[in-house]
Amino acid sequence: MKIEGQAALVTGGASGLGEATARELARLGAKVAVLDRNAALAEKVAAEIGGVACACACDITDTDSVTAALDKAAAAHGPARILMNVAGIGSAKRIVGKDGNPAPLEDFVRVVNINLIGGYNMARLFAARCAKLDALDNGEKGVMLFTASVAAFDGQVGQQAYSASKGGLVGMTLPMARDLAQHAIRVCTVAPGLFATPLLLELPEAVQHSLAASIPFPPRLGQPSEFAELACHIVTNGHLNGEVIRLDGALRMAPR
Ligand SMILES: NC(=O)c1ccc[n+]([C@@H]2O[C@H](COP(=O)([O-])OP(=O)(O)OC[C@H]3O[C@@H](n4cnc5c(N)ncnc54)[C@H](O)[C@@H]3O)[C@@H](O)[C@H]2O)c1
């Protein structure tokens, strides 16, 4: 799908990989809605982005909140054909803590609820609207992307919740692409390795260097712009569908 002129939604668009994706989409001429639960930061990014952009306060786990955000974005830009699901949270919790106590179940539920169920919630509400649109000249109606993680495949100590949530996105990519084939909507997932977003950039420099050195090539953190480039390529390459793409410099995470 040609990006120029299309209305696009980016969850988690207020920071990190989502912000870079929102900026790249705008650079390529999309009308971008920045969806994030951090409304103030979403406003700031939308204002800075150049081109056509609007900010929508949105909690992806809350159907009313998503519906309101989709309505607001559609009123500003028309119906969206591109959904970039980038919002997510991290977590680290051993199943049996150093104190011998079981990990709190609420932590597992919270991570799966945001990363997996929130992603599905966005996808289903977007897809139902997109399916009603007329197909473009190339036969497509829409395209969406999920953001998993290499932790879906090689999760580290303490990453059960995070890996389960990202593994869930990986697992649902193909069946969702199959479901949505009849509606001419493509679905792909990117599984990033280690990227220079606020999360990692807040770590001490020595830790950042050692993380970067663990990447075979190039031995540096990924740039959010590299994620954004792939996200936009998935939109433009009409034959990419039902696939999970690792973007990790050949990184395979060690147990810890
Ligand atoms: N940075 C990395 O190295 C890396 C690696 C692998 C995967 N990822 C994944 O990429 C995505 C983006 O990560 P990032 O590093 O840019 O993080 P980030 O913290 O910089 O950005 C995440 C954004 O998501 C938003 N968000 C969180 N929960 C939300 C909710 N319920 N509803 C709406 N918005 C919500 C946050 O407010 C934030 O703006 C996440 O899904 C993360 O798991 C990141």
Side-chain angles (χ1 to χ4, degrees):
M1 180 187 303
K2 201 168 155 229
I3 288 174
E4 191 177 6
Q6 295 298 347
L9 311 164
V10 185
T11 76
S15 174
L17 303 183
E19 176 183 346
T21 304
R23 289 182 189 276
E24 181 66 0
L25 282 165
R27 192 183 71 77
L28 295 170
K31 298 174 276 184
V32 181
V34 179
L35 274 57
D36 205 289
R37 71 177 174 186
N38 187 332
L41 216 48
E43 290 284 357
K44 182 171 173 286
V45 171
E48 284 173 11
I49 224 168
V52 183
C54 73
C56 306
C58 174
D59 179 342
I60 59 171
T61 65
D62 178 334
T63 295
D64 290 343
S65 170
V66 173
T67 301
L70 293 181
D71 287 346
K72 181 179 176 189
H77 298 157
R81 292 185 187 269
I82 300 168
L83 169 61
M84 305 292 202
N85 280 300
V86 192
I89 58 167
S91 84
K93 190 80 65 181
R94 291 180 186 231
I95 186 166
V96 178
K98 288 198 171 127
D99 55 7
N101 289 326
L105 188 57
E106 306 76 57
D107 282 10
F108 189 93
V109 171
R110 186 175 61 91
V111 175
V112 171
N113 192 38
I114 293 177
N115 289 356
L116 176 58
I117 299 177
Y120 180 78
N121 197 33
M122 273 307 302
R124 74 187 182 96
L125 295 166
F126 164 79
R129 292 179 182 223
C130 194
K132 295 188 181 77
L133 303 179
D134 292 334
L136 298 169
D137 287 349
N138 68 355
E140 249 179 4
K141 291 187 180 177
V143 53
M144 72 171 109
L145 165 143
F146 291 105
T147 308
S149 162
V150 294
F153 309 101
D154 20 273
Q156 297 188 293
V157 161
Q159 283 197 311
Q160 289 94 45
Y162 188 67
S163 293
S165 68
K166 298 301 189 179
L169 296 175
V170 167
M172 86 187 176
T173 302
L174 181 62
M176 197 178 289
R178 288 174 162 169
D179 262 26
L180 293 177
Q182 63 179 310
H183 299 296
I185 299 170
R186 292 185 291 112
V187 184
C188 281
T189 292
V190 176
L194 296 168
F195 276 72
T197 65
L199 199 78
L200 286 189
L201 294 176
E202 276 162 19
L203 295 173
E205 244 176 65
V207 177
Q208 288 184 42
H209 285 313
S210 105
L211 286 172
S214 70
I215 302 173
F217 190 82
R220 60 165 175 79
L221 299 178
Q223 289 303 316
S225 60
E226 294 172 311
F227 173 89
E229 273 173 42
L230 176 58
C232 289
H233 179 74
I234 288 169
V235 175
T236 54
N237 189 325
H239 211 59
L240 270 173
N241 195 12
E243 187 55 289
V244 178
I245 304 168
R246 288 182 72 128
L247 184 65
D248 62 7
L251 172 70
R252 297 295 178 270
M253 300 293 280
R256 67 188 78 222

